[in-house]
Amino acid sequence: MDWTTLFQTVLPYLPAKAAGDIVSILTFLIAAAALAMRFWRPPAAGSRLALLYKIVSSLAQSKGWNTNAYQPDAKALMIPAEASRTIEAAKLGLDPASTHPKAGEPPKAVIPD
């Protein structure tokens, strides 16, 4: 069960004023988090702000195609859409699989044989 289904299940049991207040507050928090994500540069991976950044990012619903390319614990290889990520990674001496934005970790260098 996702949060929207849970919210739609609980909402009818709340008084109208409380339900309206909850919806308004949640809407404000999500919009404020999205605005913060627009201007907040991702902190370093070891920073104390990294956890707060991930919480605000989740609240702003920054996932999938809406995810920022740079995250506290991962860095994407930014190349033109028509370029091959494999070729560009090889030019930089990086493992192509680790350069994907969703790899979940910083790009790894290719160790020559």
Side-chain angles (χ1 to χ4, degrees), residues 11 28 48 54 62 65 75 108:
L11 197 61
F28 173 78
R48 290 183 290 169
K54 287 185 177 188
S62 296
W65 287 101
K75 184 182 269 189
K108 297 176 187 169

Side-chain angles (χ1 to χ4, degrees), residues 24-75:
S24 296
I25 291 169
L26 284 175
T27 302
F28 173 78
L29 289 175
I30 291 169
L35 185 62
M37 291 303 297
R38 167 63 179 90
F39 296 103
W40 189 4
R41 190 174 144 221
S47 172
R48 290 183 290 169
L49 291 175
L51 178 62
L52 180 61
Y53 182 86
K54 287 185 177 188
I55 292 169
V56 172
S57 175
S58 297
L59 184 60
Q61 300 174 0
S62 296
K63 56 187 171 189
W65 287 101
N66 193 31
T67 303
N68 291 342
Y70 293 98
Q71 296 291 324
D73 55 356
K75 184 182 269 189

Side-chain angles (χ1 to χ4, degrees), residues 12 16 20 22 33-34 45 52-53 61 63-64 66 73 84 92 94 101-102 111 113:
I22 290 171
L52 180 61
Y53 182 86
Q61 300 174 0
K63 56 187 171 189
N66 193 31
D73 55 356
S84 167
L92 296 170
L94 300 172
K102 306 295 184 223
I111 299 171
D113 294 330

Side-chain angles (χ1 to χ4, degrees), residues 78-94:
M78 304 299 284
I79 59 172
E82 62 274 357
S84 167
R85 188 168 31 90
T86 305
I87 294 170
E88 297 300 323
K91 287 180 188 175
L92 296 170
L94 300 172

